[in-house]
Amino acid sequence: MAAKRKRGALAAGKAKRARRAPSAGEAVPEGGPRERSVPPQEYSIPPPVSQGKWKNKERVLIFSSRGINFRTRHLMQDLRTLMPHSKADTKMDRKDQLFVINEVCEMKNCNKCIFFEAKKKQDLYMWLSNTPQGPSAKFLVQNVHTLAELKMTGNCLRGSRPLLSFDPIFDREPHYALLKELFIQIFSTPQYHPKSQPFVDHVFTFTVTDERIWFRNYQIIEEDASLVEIGPRFVLNLIKIFQGSFGGPTLYENPHYQSPNMHRRLVRLSVAAKFREKQQVKEVQKIKKKGTKVLVEEDPTEVVFETPAEEKPVEIQLVKPESKPIVKDKKKLRKIQRKKQKKLFRTEG
């Protein structure tokens, strides 16, 4: 009986050599396996996806401060998903100064930064900076909707390169032109990036409406070149543009900006004014009711149709009425009534 071959027995002995296909100049031996010759193309390695060289090495650091809510955390994760050239870091402590972010970017080998700063657990600010020289811009983020929250039909390939679409006003105003260049350098995926895909199937739009910048992400459908929104979406309200990174001289300050604290204060004042107005109206109505009424002279013709009621004679009862017996049992009461009736019949008879 033949013995079974154990697993690994071939590795312990001599390894089996791979057969090499004969070249054009070599002759095939007579007894060799001519039909099972392996072609040389089978061992060739496929070329890489991107044939070009990665020259624009833009890296964006996306992180936040402590105290952010779940919506901000999801928005930050969505931006990291859409931007393959981004990097992540741990949350920064509130006590640290903002210029420390430049050192963090240097350690992470990043030259751009998106920093989310949370205040009072309800206000969200976004910093876009070109580290370490600058410039940098500070925005108030409003109307945040994430990918997990929105029920949209659009979809795009993970890591694909986006198109950037800007409103025409970005070319007219100087501060918007500066923001346009900052958006291009941060949100555009560099060509031939190792983590990117060589496809363009979605577009980032930056639209200026009501003195705010509206960010949207759309999918490009190949059939009819129509757009379907993917998400996320948010609104950026510009506060200031600084010359340096996270500080320095102020290049531009938005005159239309209103802080969230001032907005909440105005809302409270308007509610208080409405309440005071209601109270004043009530007081005026009370004063009107208490005021003296103007007496109108009596009309003599009003008494024509009044008929006096008949006067009934007053009857004075001199005898005290008999007290009725209080009987709780109804049967006893009936017996008493029957006895009285019998007595009456007897006296009459």
Side-chain angles (χ1 to χ4, degrees):
M1 185 176 179
K4 292 184 179 180
R5 183 178 295 176
K6 294 182 180 180
R7 185 178 295 177
L10 185 63
K14 293 182 180 180
K16 189 176 180 180
R17 295 182 181 179
R19 292 174 180 173
R20 185 177 60 87
S23 60
E26 294 180 356
V28 181
E30 294 180 359
R34 297 181 182 179
E35 297 177 357
R36 296 184 180 181
S37 61
V38 182
Q41 290 82 7
E42 188 173 343
Y43 296 99
S44 62
I45 301 173
V49 177
S50 58
Q51 297 284 350
K53 188 178 180 182
W54 180 29
K55 296 180 181 180
N56 180 20
K57 298 190 177 182
E58 295 281 355
R59 298 181 183 89
V60 183
L61 180 65
I62 303 177
F63 72 118
S64 68
S65 64
R66 296 194 180 276
I68 60 173
N69 53 8
F70 72 98
R71 195 185 300 273
T72 307
R73 187 173 66 254
H74 289 182
L75 174 63
M76 186 169 56
Q77 190 62 36
D78 293 344
L79 291 178
R80 289 173 183 169
T81 306
L82 293 173
M83 300 165 64
H85 61 292
S86 64
K87 289 188 177 183
D89 195 18
T90 58
K91 295 179 181 178
M92 197 180 74
D93 198 358
R94 294 181 183 178
K95 297 179 182 179
D96 296 339
Q97 299 295 329
L98 290 177
F99 62 83
V100 181
I101 302 176
N102 297 326
E103 300 177 3
V104 178
C105 292
E106 187 178 356
M107 289 192 307
K108 289 286 184 177
N109 197 15
C110 297
N111 48 9
K112 298 292 185 296
C113 180
I114 299 178
F115 177 68
F116 291 95
E117 185 180 7
K119 291 185 178 180
K120 294 187 176 181
K121 296 184 179 181
Q122 55 183 345
D123 302 330
L124 178 63
Y125 297 92
M126 178 192 285
W127 285 84
L128 300 179
S129 176
N130 179 23
T131 58
Q133 292 86 10
S136 60
K138 185 179 181 181
F139 300 91
L140 174 67
V141 186
Q142 299 172 333
N143 301 336
V144 177
H145 298 280
T146 59
L147 279 171
E149 179 185 355
L150 297 176
K151 305 294 182 182
M152 296 188 176
T153 58
N155 194 8
C156 66
L157 186 67
R158 186 186 180 97
S160 60
R161 301 181 64 218
L163 292 175
L164 300 184
S165 174
F166 292 93
D167 197 274
I169 198 173
F170 278 93
D171 297 328
R172 301 172 193 164
E173 302 292 336
H175 60 281
Y176 281 132
L178 178 61
L179 292 178
K180 178 181 178 181
E181 185 63 29
L182 197 60
F183 289 147
I184 289 173
Q185 295 182 14
I186 290 178
F187 287 97
S188 63
T189 303
Q191 194 175 10
Y192 305 122
H193 193 276
K195 294 183 180 179
S196 67
Q197 300 289 341
F199 304 103
V200 179
D201 58 353
H202 64 289
V203 54
F204 292 159
T205 61
F206 298 90
T207 310
V208 178
T209 306
D210 195 18
E211 305 296 335
R212 291 171 176 83
I213 301 173
W214 300 64
F215 176 86
R216 296 289 185 271
N217 181 21
Y218 296 98
Q219 176 195 0
I220 303 173
I221 300 178
E222 297 180 359
E223 286 78 9
D224 52 354
S226 60
L227 300 178
V228 180
E229 189 170 356
I230 304 172
R233 56 162 66 170
F234 52 88
V235 180
L236 299 177
N237 191 0
L238 179 62
I239 302 174
K240 285 183 181 181
I241 300 177
F242 300 96
Q243 184 177 354
S245 178
F246 296 98
T250 303
L251 298 179
Y252 175 78
E253 185 175 358
N254 188 8
H256 306 283
Y257 171 72
Q258 187 182 69
S259 65
N261 294 331
M262 181 61 67
H263 178 70
R264 286 190 286 267
R265 180 174 176 271
L266 293 177
V267 170
R268 287 195 301 268
L269 290 176
S270 64
V271 172
K274 288 182 181 178
F275 179 75
R276 284 197 300 270
E277 186 177 355
K278 289 182 180 179
Q279 293 296 112
Q280 290 176 359
V281 170
K282 288 182 180 179
E283 290 177 0
V284 170
Q285 290 176 354
K286 287 181 181 179
I287 293 171
K288 285 183 178 179
K289 289 180 180 178
K290 290 181 180 179
T292 56
K293 296 181 180 180
V294 180
L295 297 176
V296 183
E297 295 180 358
E298 294 182 359
D299 189 4
T301 59
E302 287 183 356
V303 199
V304 174
F305 299 100
E306 290 184 0
T307 55
E310 296 179 358
E311 294 182 0
K312 294 182 179 181
V314 181
E315 294 182 358
I316 300 172
Q317 192 173 359
L318 301 175
V319 183
K320 183 180 178 181
E322 296 181 357
S323 60
K324 294 181 180 180
I326 299 171
V327 181
K328 293 183 180 180
D329 194 358
K330 292 183 179 180
K331 291 182 178 180
K332 289 182 179 181
L333 180 63
R334 289 174 185 172
K335 287 180 181 180
I336 293 168
Q337 289 177 355
R338 286 174 186 171
K339 286 180 181 179
K340 287 183 178 181
Q341 288 178 359
K342 285 179 181 180
K343 286 180 180 180
L344 289 173
F345 287 131
R346 287 173 184 173
T347 52
E348 288 179 359

